[in-house]
Amino acid sequence: MRRALDLSRKGRFSVSPNPRVGCVIVREPSASADGIFRVIGEGFHLRKGLPHAERVALDSCAEDPRGSTLFVTLEPCCHHGATPPCTEAILKAGIRRVVAATTDPFPQVAGQGIKWLRNHGVQVDVGLLEDEARFENRYFLHRHEIGLPWVILKAAVSLDGKLSTATGQSKWITGEEARTHVHSLRAEVDAILVGVGTVLTDDPLLTARPSVSEIHDWKPTIRVVLDPQGLISSSSRLLKTAKDSPVWIFLADSVSPSQKERIETAGARVDFVSCSDEKLDLIQILRRLAEANILSLLVEGGGNVHTSFLENQLVNEVAIYIAPVLVGGKPSPTFYMGQGVSTMKEAPRLERVNRRLLGPDTLIRGILKWKL
Ligand SMILES: NC(=O)c1ccc[n+]([C@@H]2O[C@H](COP(=O)([O-])OP(=O)(O)OC[C@H]3O[C@@H](n4cnc5c(N)ncnc54)[C@H](OP(=O)(O)O)[C@@H]3O)[C@@H](O)[C@H]2O)c1
């Protein structure tokens, strides 16, 4: 199953909106002439419309898989989607036992794959390395279980936690290795979101430019902007590239239709959203993104947008790049302003914390656990 999980990760830049799935087919000792475990086939799912991991693994088998065990990181599908059901292929191949790490919440599967296999005489065991499998597929599972995209808050900060100087300068806090790393993080998610403040100050391109060596296949990331008053300039780098790489702008519903038209003419998708306290309704936005099959969203700032996501407890994971530099100054923003918590007991803590050195900088990444 660990090998199957490693394989599933190979689809991470291309597989969405489908889940990451890896599969390994093993001849068990009791069923093999030499009495040892032998991997006879393996595979992973690369992209929607291409064969699922189980079929890739079955097709790769070096010998007849009849009587062998199939390890898969997610319950096999039993419905006709973009490809035919994997359960039928498993049965036809004569697989004796299926070990699935976790069930699939997708409404057309949701336990039916396991039931169908059992009804047809295949032994099915569920739950091996389930935590790891759920972690690996957290974007997909969150979208289908909660109905919202998985939100990752990303920020580059100084050692004293500042996002920029008091005059708004933030280029560059971190070094080249950290900035290169951000591009693979961007390539892994479905969409990147910033506030219009960042667009006006930094004029970012927000495309993912990962190093070619680390990706198998890749699909462009959607660039999203919260722009309540329609302030984005038609000459911004985002709008100038909107016809080549998707841009989606959210405006307050009080903005004039002519502003909407100006932005749409540049090639961006534009949606109106309601406002409360002059802030766009984040839940409404997340629901629209989820409906558009966006499973994962990287929130890149600036401080006001970061703070809103945190205050509304809408952040699932953080990725903070910390640079060994001091900025100082009370007015210089951090990524968590607002009221904050009043006691340490209330402070949300990270779990599954991963620390990584990137040249002079450190990335701290982890899942955010909110106190209820
Ligand atoms: N170090 C880093 O990682 C990093 C990353 C990005 C940006 N930055 C820096 O951050 C600065 C820009 O940040 P900023 O805080 O001024 O602007 P921002 O957070 O990028 O954008 C704020 C804008 O978004 C609008 N908005 C709409 N809905 C919102 C909501 N629900 N919550 C919060 N804002 C919402 C705000 O509208 P209203 O005006 O109506 O409130 C405001 O106009 C720049 O200096 C940039 O260099 C640093």
Side-chain angles (χ1 to χ4, degrees):
M1 191 62 87
R2 285 205 192 286
R3 172 70 186 149
L5 284 167
D6 284 348
L7 287 167
S8 76
R9 269 188 286 280
K10 295 193 178 205
R12 69 188 186 280
F13 296 113
S14 53
V15 80
S16 182
N18 278 2
R20 299 176 185 180
V21 188
C23 178
V24 175
I25 300 175
V26 173
R27 175 80 60 208
E28 293 206 39
S30 54
S32 73
D34 46 15
I36 54 169
F37 277 103
R38 241 163 350 100
V39 171
I40 60 170
E42 59 177 34
F44 64 95
H45 184 41
L46 183 62
R47 119 183 350 259
K48 189 175 167 70
L50 292 182
H52 290 181
E54 298 90 318
R55 276 179 189 275
V56 177
L58 286 168
D59 289 346
S60 79
C61 279
E63 56 185 73
D64 186 353
R66 207 153 289 278
S68 57
T69 299
L70 181 145
F71 291 84
V72 63
T73 58
L74 190 71
E75 171 182 2
C77 71
C78 54
H79 66 293
H80 284 269
T83 58
C86 289
T87 44
E88 284 176 13
I90 291 170
L91 190 71
K92 199 167 154 214
I95 297 290
R96 185 186 67 81
R97 178 181 172 224
V98 169
V99 183
T102 189
T103 51
D104 185 347
F106 196 66
Q108 286 140 299
V109 188
Q112 293 305 310
I114 293 166
K115 204 165 146 194
W116 191 93
L117 285 168
R118 284 185 179 145
N119 285 346
H120 287 80
V122 180
Q123 179 186 335
V124 185
D125 299 302
V126 186
L128 180 63
L129 298 184
E130 183 160 23
D131 281 357
E132 275 94 324
R134 286 188 62 83
F135 177 73
E136 211 46 68
N137 250 331
R138 59 196 182 282
Y139 308 165
F140 175 83
L141 295 173
H142 194 74
R143 161 67 183 84
H144 290 289
E145 290 173 350
I146 310 293
L148 299 177
W150 179 266
V151 174
I152 306 172
L153 182 151
K154 172 250 147 184
V157 300
S158 62
L159 202 52
D160 52 336
K162 303 296 191 183
L163 286 173
S164 70
T165 64
T167 58
Q169 240 189 53
S170 63
K171 285 185 180 159
W172 296 106
I173 293 177
T174 46
E176 216 166 297
E177 277 117 316
R179 299 206 307 274
T180 303
H181 190 270
V182 169
H183 283 285
S184 60
L185 183 56
R186 283 180 177 176
E188 203 188 295
V189 296
D190 295 331
I192 301 167
L193 180 149
V194 293
V196 70
T198 297
V199 176
L200 298 177
T201 318
D202 298 345
D203 194 16
L205 198 51
L206 294 180
T207 48
R209 303 182 289 280
S211 81
V212 178
S213 64
E214 66 182 336
I215 58 172
H216 257 275
D217 204 341
W218 175 57
K219 62 183 187 62
T221 314
I222 298 171
R223 299 167 293 164
V224 180
V225 183
L226 305 187
D227 186 4
Q229 300 167 64
L231 298 177
I232 189 167
S233 152
S234 302
S235 60
S236 63
R237 296 210 296 161
L238 272 170
L239 285 193
K240 282 205 322 217
T241 56
K243 288 189 172 130
D244 309 319
S245 190
V247 174
W248 192 347
I249 312 278
F250 286 98
L251 304 176
D253 44 18
S254 53
V255 171
S256 72
S258 65
Q259 277 294 47
K260 180 176 189 263
E261 212 178 298
R262 171 185 70 87
I263 300 169
E264 274 173 345
T265 307
R269 171 174 176 175
V270 185
D271 268 16
F272 287 119
V273 168
S274 54
C275 266
S276 55
D277 294 339
E278 295 182 5
K279 303 271 179 257
L280 296 179
D281 184 330
L282 296 181
I283 284 279
Q284 244 185 64
I285 291 171
L286 289 177
R287 288 215 180 100
R288 298 233 188 126
L289 297 178
E291 280 158 18
N293 264 344
I294 289 172
L295 310 185
S296 53
L297 175 71
L298 190 67
V299 174
E300 290 215 25
N304 282 306
V305 165
H306 281 145
T307 299
S308 277
F309 272 85
L310 286 165
E311 287 199 316
N312 287 288
Q313 304 201 348
L314 291 171
V315 177
N316 305 106
E317 182 171 347
V318 298
I320 309 296
Y321 296 85
I322 304 167
V325 60
L326 297 176
V327 170
K330 220 172 182 174
S332 328
T334 71
F335 65 84
Y336 195 4
M337 298 176 288
Q339 291 303 307
V341 297
S342 34
T343 63
M344 280 315 291
K345 238 174 116 181
E346 296 165 64
R349 267 185 200 274
L350 299 194
E351 290 183 357
R352 280 186 174 267
V353 179
N354 189 291
R355 297 172 190 81
R356 183 163 174 171
L357 297 181
L358 296 161
D361 307 319
T362 308
L363 166 64
I364 297 204
R365 189 170 174 181
I367 308 289
L368 202 50
K369 278 287 160 201
W370 291 101
K371 304 279 159 68
L372 293 175

